[in-house]
Amino acid sequence: MKKIAIGIDIGGTNSAIGVVDADGNVLAKGGISTPSHGDVDRYVKDLAEAVREMLKSVMQINANFEVIGIGIGAPNGNYYSGTIEYAPNLSFKGVVHLVELLKKQFPEYAHIALTNDANAAAIGEMIYGGAKGMKNFVMYTLGTGVGSGVVVNGDLVYGHDGFAGECGHTTLIPDGRLCGCGAKGHLEAYCSAPGMKRTAFELLAKYNAIDSQLASKTFQNMESKDIYDAAVKGDKVALEVFELTGKYLGQGIADTVHHLSPEAIFLFGGPTAAGDFIFKPTIASMEAHLLPIFKNKVKVLPSKLSAGDAAIVGASALVWKELDK
């Protein structure tokens, strides 16, 4: 029997579902809308039905499969308790005992585990990606926010309460920009995709850069890809956005290196598709902020997870990690 796992990524708008084998191949994928009604029992019932339908279609193609469990990545997911706690972008209020609810739907599965999406990405990188064989590394996920997953001695660091590893909420600039969490000056406020947009608009105002390719964009319709496209064409504002973002990100990563001395830092998410535009200034800034004993030792690498399937694959990797215990 070939072993397979279910990966579920719960986002604010959609919940992605996939069937993944031990090599990280996605055999089937789909999903359902993440509801706005706030009825978690109804949602779990719909989610379980979607999982069963997907498994049925996979088994029709090849019945020689054994499902070993379900892994879930979710905002504010707590691995220890199997709960989603006060997630700001979900309609489910308070503490949601998601693993307990799913175990009632799938009592036949010994392994059902949950963590936050950045932790799931880190485990995915370790099981399927560029961190294979590494015992100490950190995964930074750049997107709507800045998430991170910390791996030390081959194990994900959860801390005493299940929420360790929030590198994106390191204070970068005291009393700086307002972060989405409500605090000021956090790394996320500068190095997330919305943070890059804020930098772009600050620079457009600073230079009165009406000739910039970004000048015609509104905050609502500007994407980080627009900044990349402009940078490729030599737009000075766009190029400075990447320089500043890399400067800030490298500074934050240097703090992480000082705390953990990892072998590598992996970067994942939309802004990383810009390649050298983001990696070169990030690495230069990291090296500039490091103590001499750490210089030229830590690799900054792009994730090897497929962008389209990373959330599903990362979530499924939780199950394979459970099997190692």
Side-chain angles (χ1 to χ4, degrees):
M1 299 287 283
K2 185 176 181 180
K3 290 181 169 59
I4 56 175
I6 307 299
I8 299 172
D9 177 66
I10 300 175
T13 304
N14 296 300
S15 296
I17 306 166
V19 179
V20 185
D21 69 15
D23 297 317
N25 299 310
V26 179
L27 307 179
K29 61 181 177 179
I32 63 172
S33 296
T34 304
S36 58
H37 54 60
D39 185 340
V40 69
D41 292 313
R42 182 172 147 200
Y43 168 66
V44 169
K45 184 178 178 182
D46 291 344
L47 187 64
E49 183 60 29
V51 169
R52 291 189 186 100
E53 286 298 315
M54 185 172 293
L55 281 173
K56 185 188 296 183
S57 67
V58 170
M59 295 296 186
Q60 285 174 347
I61 298 170
N62 187 345
N64 195 33
F65 285 134
E66 176 190 357
V67 181
I68 60 168
I70 300 173
I72 309 111
N76 289 18
N78 189 325
Y79 172 78
Y80 290 147
S81 60
T83 54
I84 298 173
E85 303 185 17
Y86 306 99
N89 60 335
L90 300 181
S91 63
F92 314 122
K93 303 304 178 187
V95 178
V96 176
H97 295 268
L98 190 71
V99 168
E100 181 181 311
L101 292 169
L102 280 172
K103 282 183 175 178
K104 291 178 181 177
Q105 292 285 338
F106 299 99
E108 67 272 28
Y109 297 159
H111 303 290
I112 300 180
L114 170 147
T115 190
N116 72 43
D117 45 4
N119 284 343
I123 294 176
E125 199 71 47
M126 180 167 52
I127 301 294
Y128 306 120
K132 278 185 180 180
M134 289 187 187
K135 296 292 186 182
N136 296 276
F137 71 93
V138 180
M139 182 86 159
Y140 269 75
T141 59
L142 310 179
T144 305
V146 175
S148 56
V150 175
V151 174
V152 173
N153 296 331
D155 289 315
L156 199 75
V157 175
Y158 289 108
H160 85 281
D161 62 352
F163 292 112
E166 290 289 351
C167 299
H169 294 283
T170 301
T171 300
L172 188 74
I173 299 174
D175 297 318
R177 290 178 185 170
L178 185 67
C179 182
C181 70
K184 289 184 177 180
H186 286 182
L187 183 69
E188 180 173 296
Y190 296 86
C191 299
S192 61
M196 292 177 68
K197 290 201 305 184
R198 290 167 77 173
T199 300
F201 277 88
E202 286 175 3
L203 292 174
L204 286 168
K206 177 182 176 181
Y207 298 129
N208 191 26
I210 57 175
D211 58 339
S212 169
Q213 295 175 52
L214 301 175
S216 62
K217 298 286 183 180
T218 66
F219 193 84
Q220 285 74 21
N221 68 18
M222 183 186 287
E223 304 287 343
S224 58
K225 188 178 183 302
D226 295 321
I227 302 173
Y228 168 73
D229 290 341
V232 168
K233 296 175 182 176
D235 186 277
K236 291 181 180 179
V237 169
L239 288 168
E240 191 168 343
V241 170
F242 280 111
E243 285 295 323
L244 286 173
T245 302
K247 174 186 173 182
Y248 295 139
L249 184 57
Q251 182 181 338
I253 288 174
D255 287 343
T256 299
V257 171
H258 289 149
H259 296 157
L260 300 168
S261 188
E263 178 179 348
I265 303 287
F266 287 89
L267 302 183
F268 174 81
T272 66
D276 283 348
F277 284 117
I278 187 70
F279 278 88
K280 279 188 174 181
T282 297
I283 293 168
S285 176
M286 179 191 75
E287 293 291 348
H289 286 94
L290 286 177
L291 286 168
I293 56 171
F294 293 110
K295 287 183 182 294
N296 302 309
K297 285 184 179 178
V298 182
K299 295 170 283 193
V300 179
L301 302 170
S303 168
K304 287 191 176 179
L305 297 180
S306 169
D309 297 331
I312 292 170
V313 168
S316 74
L318 274 171
V319 183
W320 304 110
K321 188 65 176 170
E322 290 295 298
L323 286 180
D324 291 339
K325 294 184 177 179

